[in-house]
Amino acid sequence: VDVVESGGGSVQSGGSLTLSCAASGFAYNDYCMGWFRQTPGKWREGVAFVNADGTSTYADSVKGRFTISRDNDNRTMSLRLNNVKPEDTAIYYCARPTSSLRRCRGSGFPVSDVGFWGQGAQVTVSS
């Protein structure tokens, strides 16, 4: 099993950035997937989650600004960050839950349910 992020970088406040995640080694269509982020001294938090059918949920802090999507044929997932703010600065992680769930429960899945993490992609927003 492998999930690999790409697309991090630096962007000015109000700008946009797209993160991508490539998955391999498992039945991608059988899993909801998620993006998490972490800043120094803070807990890793869930940002956005996408079900196998493409429906999604978002943390309140990013709702209306971020868009998560997935391409089941190519086994990829993306997170489009629009109108970014300095507080969006973090390392962003692609994540797969331990259990096969085509639809995430409730508002996603917690850190404790993550089975596989990507290596992380740094996003830095300057004001």
Side-chain angles (χ1 to χ4, degrees):
V1 174
D2 203 8
V3 287
V4 179
E5 302 95 341
S6 61
S10 297
V11 60
Q12 288 193 326
S13 182
S16 299
L17 194 69
T18 299
L19 303 176
S20 297
C21 173
S24 61
F26 63 99
Y28 184 68
N29 291 12
D30 287 344
Y31 288 82
C32 66
M33 297 287 292
W35 287 97
F36 291 74
R37 68 185 181 186
Q38 188 169 23
T39 55
K42 291 189 176 182
W43 296 107
R44 196 168 293 190
E45 63 172 354
V47 174
F49 300 88
V50 62
N51 297 315
D53 65 359
T55 54
S56 56
T57 57
Y58 298 90
D60 288 343
S61 58
V62 306
K63 200 172 293 183
R65 300 188 299 119
F66 291 10
T67 302
I68 189 172
S69 61
R70 65 189 289 164
D71 181 339
N72 288 339
D73 290 337
N74 291 306
R75 306 169 62 87
T76 59
M77 178 175 67
S78 296
L79 185 69
R80 176 68 173 176
L81 291 67
N82 289 325
N83 190 24
V84 295
K85 305 175 181 180
E87 52 263 42
D88 294 322
T89 295
I91 299 175
Y92 285 73
Y93 297 90
C94 172
R96 196 211 82 173
T98 301
S99 300
S100 172
L101 286 173
R102 293 180 61 82
R103 189 168 189 86
C104 298
R105 297 190 185 94
S107 58
F109 51 93
V111 169
S112 58
D113 283 357
V114 174
F116 296 92
W117 295 100
Q119 83 282 6
Q122 176 71 51
V123 172
T124 303
V125 182
S126 57
S127 56

